[in-house]
Amino acid sequence: MKKVLSMALAAALMVGVLAGCGGNNNAGQSGGGSSAGASSSAGASNPPSTEPDPVVINFPTAGESGALYAVGAAITNLWDTEIPYVSASSQASKGGIENLNLTSEGEAQVSIAISSNCLQCLNGTDSFEGYAYSDLKVIAGLYFNPNQVVVTEKSGITDLAGVKGKHFAVAAAGSSVEGECKNHFTAAGLNYPDDINCEYLEFKDAADMLQNGTIDGAWIMSGAPAAAVTQACTSGCKLLNVSDEIIAELQKTYPWYAPCTIPAGTYPGQDEDVQTSAIKMVMFCRGDLSEQAVYDLTKTFWENIDQLGEAQANLKGLTPEEAVKDIAGLPLHPGAERYYEEIGIL
């Protein structure tokens, strides 16, 4: 009922704004409408509108079996419900690199990716060479996104170097997850991709093939627990540790990596903690979104973080103090910066 009422209120406000602004409904622009003329009967004038123009937020996430898909749905539902002039929706995507490309092309306004990909997009390096988006801005740093390396028992794989010669799912070609495979297997001494029989699969397809025993392993980068990993572990697969030595080797070139522990019991049959590597997830947006809109998105997100955390475990325990740390030096949007200054974080 609350959702229906909010949508009705948003529609009513949109009509009011269009009438007051002469039909100007440019998304992402804040400001008031023109004031009405004086009344001939009473001589009074209407005050100018202070309601921002309608804002449409398209929020790509990741594959439906990844944790990011549900995270994006929870955030957009909150914004769509609580901010009258915002219409927000999420949808599946191929993940971080596609999310950044869609945002730079104007097909999306807000999304999430790992901080490393955001920095590459901002500067036009690696997968974004020749396609820099210099107006990329940050709303908040979120949680650390762990790499999860799942293998079958019959494969005999015990470490990353053991993937040599095996049939291994490296996610979609050109995706951020495939980039993780390249970085880690190179750090483990393998020649990527030549040393591996690579299968380019989405997480759900990889989980199905792990369950059937038709591939030896798969790389899943997602908040834990991830549905694809749970599915694979239910059929007897296991997670590999990423050693301190490999993490140290990665950090020589990619300082955004951090060690991360997946606690025992996170997945079926996981009796011990598993160490892996992780990169912080960043919620970013287009720089041309208005300051007021991004301020309201940021404020609403943090004022409802406990509610979001109850709905999505990956958002549980997040704090605005940590939101501006470990984001690879990426620039905050002025609207987000205004909020963090207001609450004393900056």
Side-chain angles (χ1 to χ4, degrees):
M1 177 62 73
K2 182 178 181 182
K3 175 72 173 176
V4 172
L5 290 173
S6 296
M7 290 178 67
L9 176 59
L13 286 169
M14 183 180 292
V15 171
V17 170
L18 291 176
C21 298
N24 176 16
N25 64 341
N26 292 327
Q29 300 299 317
S30 64
S34 58
S35 58
S39 168
S40 59
S41 59
S45 61
N46 294 323
S49 171
T50 57
E51 184 67 53
D53 288 347
V55 173
V56 176
I57 300 295
N58 182 30
F59 192 129
T61 56
E64 294 183 8
S65 63
L68 186 55
Y69 178 79
V71 166
I75 294 172
T76 53
N77 181 65
L78 172 71
W79 288 341
D80 194 63
T81 303
E82 297 297 329
I83 308 175
Y85 66 91
V86 168
S87 175
S89 61
S90 63
Q91 60 280 322
S93 77
K94 294 180 181 179
I97 289 179
E98 183 178 39
N99 295 345
L100 286 157
N101 284 331
L102 289 170
T103 303
S104 66
E105 293 163 2
E107 298 296 322
Q109 290 70 44
V110 180
S111 190
I112 297 178
I114 52 179
S115 60
S116 55
N117 285 160
C118 292
L119 187 63
Q120 292 161 357
C121 180
L122 181 73
N123 295 326
T125 63
D126 297 83
S127 298
F128 304 93
E129 187 170 355
Y131 297 95
Y133 179 48
S134 60
D135 204 23
L136 183 76
K137 296 293 187 287
V138 170
I139 294 175
L142 301 177
Y143 53 91
F144 280 97
N145 202 34
N147 286 294
Q148 302 180 63
V149 190
V150 195
V151 297
T152 64
E153 284 286 354
K154 72 175 185 178
S155 70
I157 301 170
T158 58
D159 57 21
L160 293 189
V163 176
K164 184 174 183 178
K166 302 292 186 178
H167 285 273
F168 191 90
V170 296
S175 67
S176 57
V177 180
E178 193 205 358
E180 292 300 299
C181 292
K182 178 180 179 180
N183 292 348
H184 285 73
F185 287 130
T186 300
L190 301 186
N191 182 13
Y192 182 87
D194 296 342
D195 282 347
I196 302 169
N197 290 319
C198 294
E199 302 284 352
Y200 298 93
L201 303 169
E202 300 290 344
F203 292 166
K204 181 62 170 66
D205 295 331
D208 290 342
M209 294 181 73
L210 283 168
Q211 206 167 24
N212 297 334
T214 50
I215 57 174
D216 298 305
W219 199 285
I220 309 292
M221 191 181 198
S222 177
V229 180
T230 298
Q231 178 184 342
C233 289
T234 299
S235 61
C237 293
K238 65 179 182 180
L239 288 169
L240 292 185
N241 279 285
V242 177
S243 68
D244 291 330
E245 291 76 16
I246 287 179
I247 293 174
E249 184 66 26
L250 287 166
Q251 289 173 333
K252 292 178 182 177
T253 306
Y254 312 108
W256 47 73
Y257 283 109
C260 175
T261 298
I262 300 175
T266 300
Y267 294 110
Q270 184 199 347
D271 299 326
E272 299 179 350
D273 290 350
V274 172
Q275 176 178 281
T276 187
S277 60
I279 306 176
K280 199 165 195 177
M281 298 295 294
V282 172
M283 182 159 58
F284 60 87
C285 66
R286 289 184 57 83
D288 57 7
L289 276 176
S290 74
E291 179 177 329
Q292 185 62 46
V294 177
Y295 171 84
D296 287 336
L297 296 176
T298 309
K299 179 181 175 70
T300 303
F301 175 79
W302 287 114
E303 288 187 347
N304 292 275
I305 193 61
D306 290 342
Q307 171 190 331
L308 288 170
E310 290 300 316
Q312 290 301 321
N314 287 289
L315 299 176
K316 193 175 184 66
L318 296 187
T319 66
E321 289 82 1
E322 295 299 315
V324 296
K325 299 177 182 177
D326 301 312
I327 58 173
L330 294 161
L332 290 167
H333 190 285
E337 189 171 26
R338 175 178 143 201
Y339 174 75
Y340 294 124
E341 287 175 347
E342 185 178 277
I343 64 173
I345 299 303
L346 295 177

